[in-house]
Amino acid sequence: MTATAVPVDSVAHAASTPDTPQPYRELGLTGDEYARIREILGRRPTEAELAMYSVMWSEHCSYKSSKVHLRYFGETTTPAMKERMLAGIGENAGVVDVGDGWAVTFKVESHNHPSYVEPYQGAATGVGGIVRDILAMGARPIAVADSLRFGPAGAPDTGRVLPGVVAGIGGYGNCLGLPNVGGELVFDPSYAGNPLVNALCVGAMKVEDLHLAHASGAGNKVVLFGARTGLDGIGGVSVLASETFGGDDDGAAGGRRKLPSVQVGDPFTEKVLIECCLELFAAGLVVGIQDLGGAGLSCATSELASAGDGGMHVTLDAVPLRAAGMTPAEILASESQERMCAVVEPSDVEPFLAVCRRWDVTATVIGEVTGTGRLVITWRGETVVDVPPRTVAHDGPVYWRPVLRPSTQDNLNANGAKVLPRPSPVDDLRATVLRMAASPNLCSRAWVTDQYDRYVRGNTVLAQPADAGVVRVDERTNRGVAIATDCNGRYCALDPYAGAQLALAEAYRNVAATGAVPVAVTNCLNFGSPEDAGVMWQFQQAVRGLADGCAALGTPVTGGNVSFYNQTGSTAILPTPVAGVLGVLDDVRRRVPTGFGAAGQVVYLLGETREELDGSEWAHAVHGHLGGRPPAVDLTAERLLASVLAAAAGEGLLAGAHDLSDGGLAQALVEACLIGGVGARVALAAVAPDPFVALFSESAARLLVAVAPANAQAFAELCAARGQSHTPLGTVGGDALDIDGIGSRSLPELRAAWEGTLPALFG
């Protein structure tokens, strides 16, 4: 017996069957949201329309719980902060003018949940997605970085997830030929079951080559190009990943087998797509462009139409598929990778397709821009979508979620690190220096970063373990950019407002340590459920802290990402607002390395040290403790420090610079010695009366610098003239780190401790 064909749920059919039950709750929509969709359309939605609204109104795409708070970034961005900005929040990625006619675009986004489900592909497609965001702005991607967080280092599930994530990042990025120049790796129990995989990409272009995502000009054609559309990546829309929308692989009635929820990436297809896009841009064949990432065609068509000046008509039959029997809802919701959607003038279509053929990139005209103000999508001669595009892409629900400071916050803040036993004898302090250097959050990341190609393309100037990655943008002038990402979730748990500012300050300081001038910020805001009033308090405070901090530093937020529902059961992750800072170097040949250099260099500590150990790495690594108040934030001091570094680097006074953050002065000294391959002899008396505080306090706005003896007086005078605290600690030399009054540790001993941890756990 032949199976009965499944009827098309067309607009006409939907209008004539208003009482047909629809699985809106399973798709993540509330009753009120479903009712609003019916009100917008004046009827029930078709299956395809329901799929579009459900994915586009999801938290991931619509920012429905965060919009009301994110507006504060715009409210605090001054005209002076906007002077360099060419594109900002709301575009695929932020773009800033970096001088000499060059623009740089950069952004960080999360791919957390897919990376837990399928670590390799989850992380790989996270890299692929952020690279396409950069490409969509008209830029050539020039570098990537990643900010990673996992559960306890020794936990079995960390052993499952971390190697796959690292392999996915390396496998995809290496195949694209993009250097991985920086990032973070953090372990904490709160991330068990919910790792954070935040991927960043930087791209460069000439200012006049900027492209924006919009569909303008009635009659212009809509071209889908890149990989074919398949069934992968639909699992985020739960009912589309089950048999609810029916049909077997031949489109007949019956249950669809479970679809893969994580996209499958092909970096070689993306590499060709990058080169194809850049040739299309150079030939002037693109009016508007949008990558296909989250929500797939639903996002690309609705956002292009919404941002344009008319409507759009799309024929789904023209979409190249790699799976048989796909329904309109599945085609629209598929998140198959390596796809782009462009708006092209009719006269340019054939040249556009010719470029795609030359790169062996599949390209198909799937529709055209109209003047109707409607997004109309047809399939097999039936209209399956007829909606106002703005209601899909930009006018989704907006929620003022309850915001409430948790009742546990006072007790958390009262439980400071003063109650913890401290090492006091000299031998205990020496042992603690070694123990901290080997701890999972402070040890060498070489086991991870050695799996990444950090120097491909030949323009990498600094990469891990440097404080910030530095990449040359212009080979003629040696103009370049520095990039760093940072966040301490423990600080944010203790005070989300101050913690977000400390994340910003650390990334700002890391960029400044290279001699670059920080100019712009991106962010990836990772939090628990927005339905938890305590989580929303953390989120609100972090956004305000970050925005106020950017205003104080004069560095605008150009874009970013919000990732909610990061929790295991009812237990949320530590609030983790990752800040990415971009800096500019007029000449990368004057960049400042991270480690110590030649013997005889004078070592200075810049900034003031206070007894600030609450939330510190020492409290976490030695005692498993979290409580108290985070280090004080002084953004005026951070800005002064950055200006001093830029001036000193410009005059060639600095031989090395390394920021102080997790682990304090002790860790900074260990790393500066090991990175430079030379020892140092230092004294702590002028840092703090208590040697333990001097070594392990995590006071902010501090840097360790090395200066050649011939430059020491000029450097000290520069600091004094600007009012920058600068404490001489000692000199570089020898084959050990020798701390006066505490003793020495040989470099081989320190290196064995620092470099041995991750290989022992994962190698």
Side-chain angles (χ1 to χ4, degrees), residues 34-386:
Y34 179 66
R36 183 179 168 197
I37 293 168
R38 294 187 67 126
E39 181 183 353
I40 289 168
L41 300 179
R43 55 174 169 78
R44 76 163 176 86
T46 66
E47 290 175 352
E49 289 168 339
L50 184 63
M52 289 189 73
Y53 277 106
S54 69
V55 294
M56 292 302 294
W57 284 14
S58 68
E59 196 71 62
H60 176 76
C61 293
S62 75
Y63 288 30
K64 58 189 175 185
S65 298
S66 56
K67 276 182 179 177
V68 295
H69 302 291
L70 297 176
R71 292 171 186 156
Y72 191 63
F73 286 125
E75 294 169 9
T76 51
T77 302
T78 66
M81 293 166 68
K82 294 178 181 178
E83 286 180 359
R84 285 181 176 263
M85 285 177 58
L86 303 177
I89 295 173
E91 298 294 342
N92 280 310
V95 182
V96 293
D97 188 327
V98 298
D100 289 342
W102 284 95
V104 166
T105 177
F106 73 124
K107 189 181 182 183
V108 59
E109 280 199 342
S110 63
H111 227 227
N112 304 337
H113 297 155
S115 298
Y116 180 73
V117 175
E118 211 300 295
Y120 185 97
Q121 290 294 351
T125 53
V127 174
I130 193 64
V131 167
R132 289 194 304 279
D133 277 339
I134 296 307
L135 181 62
M137 301 306 296
R140 173 178 287 281
I142 59 172
V144 294
D146 51 89
S147 177
L148 309 177
R149 285 165 176 79
F150 301 95
D157 200 54
T158 303
R160 174 187 73 89
V161 177
L162 184 148
V165 165
V166 171
I169 291 169
Y172 205 100
N174 292 352
C175 290
L176 288 183
L178 291 176
N180 190 312
V181 298
E184 306 164 86
L185 175 61
V186 176
F187 299 96
D188 187 90
S190 80
Y191 305 114
N194 200 125
L196 301 186
V197 178
N198 294 177
L200 181 146
C201 186
V202 183
M205 62 186 146
K206 300 301 284 187
V207 170
E208 62 269 20
D209 293 335
L210 173 65
H211 282 74
L212 301 177
H214 60 85
S216 297
N220 284 343
K221 302 302 180 181
V222 179
V223 182
L224 179 65
F225 63 114
R228 291 175 176 268
T229 299
L231 291 167
D232 54 316
I234 307 179
V237 189
S238 59
V239 175
L240 291 178
S242 68
E243 53 274 0
T244 301
F245 281 123
D248 59 21
D249 285 345
D250 297 319
R256 167 85 75 192
R257 65 178 178 273
K258 178 72 174 176
L259 306 177
S261 61
V262 177
Q263 307 96 322
V264 178
D266 180 353
F268 298 105
T269 296
E270 179 130 332
K271 174 60 178 171
V272 173
L273 185 63
I274 290 171
E275 301 304 326
C276 179
C277 281
L278 292 171
E279 184 170 335
L280 291 168
F281 296 149
L285 300 176
V286 176
V287 175
I289 192 164
Q290 174 75 47
D291 76 299
L292 273 71
L297 267 174
S298 293
C299 177
T301 55
S302 63
E303 289 196 348
L304 280 168
S306 179
D309 53 15
M312 184 184 291
H313 178 266
V314 172
T315 304
L316 287 185
D317 307 73
V319 174
L321 305 178
R322 62 169 181 248
M326 290 184 70
T327 67
E330 290 169 343
I331 296 170
L332 287 167
S334 169
E335 295 184 4
S336 294
Q337 297 291 286
E338 294 88 41
R339 297 180 299 162
M340 305 286 284
C341 197
V343 177
V344 182
E345 292 185 359
S347 60
D348 288 333
V349 168
E350 184 48 43
F352 185 104
L353 297 178
V355 171
C356 292
R357 285 193 295 270
R358 185 157 56 251
W359 287 100
D360 199 21
V361 170
T362 300
T364 309
V365 176
I366 65 167
E368 70 176 28
V369 178
T370 68
T372 65
R374 308 281 294 185
L375 172 59
V376 177
I377 299 176
T378 58
W379 187 69
R380 295 183 180 176
E382 301 273 7
T383 299
V384 294
V385 172
D386 185 353

Side-chain angles (χ1 to χ4, degrees), residues 4-18:
T4 303
V6 177
V8 176
D9 190 20
S10 65
V11 168
H13 181 254
S16 65
T17 55

